[in-house]
Amino acid sequence: PVQTRVCVYMRRAAHKTLRLVLDEPPPVADTARCDGRGDAELRRLLVRTGVLPKASGSAYVEMGETKVLCAIFGPQQADGHDFLSHGRLECTVKFSAFARRTTDPAAATTDASATAALSASLSAALSGSVQLDQYPKSLICVHAMVLQDGGGALPALVSCGSAALAHARLKLYG
């Protein structure tokens, strides 16, 4: 079988370009998805770090039609908590007012539960990659904003959060 190669280019903050080459199996059938891509096509990917100068680390990610901005603040002292032998990672996810295509007022009640679920999923995904035992009595805050939701918000949030954590130069596993 013939294998195809897909090149993805990502820009770094210092105007360097990172090139990833991914080997993919040949497509089984060339059917179009709802966004117009074929089965073997990847979403367009853009990653920028250092987009928010006042944050400890920040990143902006575009995956197809989904656009996410993420900021890291900390590690900072955890106020009002008992002694923590290891640090804590808190994630908050918000959607901009124009992120979704729907204008239904009844969707606001489901947005709160969806936002809470995305925050919990992002926290679960990112907490395993940070060496929280190296930051006792500390709090690391991850704030993410979905600017445009074209489907696949969680993968974009995890990628953006990971890039922002790396930009913050926190101790990560791997």
Side-chain angles (χ1 to χ4, degrees), residues 18-102:
L18 176 65
R19 181 176 181 241
L20 299 175
V21 179
L22 307 171
D23 288 330
E24 280 195 300
V28 177
D30 195 23
T31 59
R33 298 182 192 181
C34 61
D35 60 358
R37 293 180 294 132
D39 286 342
E41 290 183 71
L42 297 174
R43 288 187 170 116
R44 185 178 56 85
L45 176 66
L46 171 73
V47 178
R48 288 190 182 135
T49 58
V51 293
L52 298 173
K54 297 211 177 200
S56 301
S58 62
Y60 171 77
V61 168
E62 288 183 14
M63 287 181 125
E65 296 298 318
T66 303
K67 299 175 183 179
V68 175
L69 182 65
C70 189
I72 307 294
F73 294 98
Q76 55 197 9
Q77 183 177 354
D79 293 332
H81 298 286
D82 294 332
F83 176 77
L84 299 171
S85 61
H86 60 281
R88 217 176 56 183
L89 186 75
E90 284 186 358
C91 297
T92 57
V93 175
K94 294 187 179 181
F95 284 84
S96 64
F98 47 85
R100 296 193 174 154
R101 295 183 181 136
T102 180

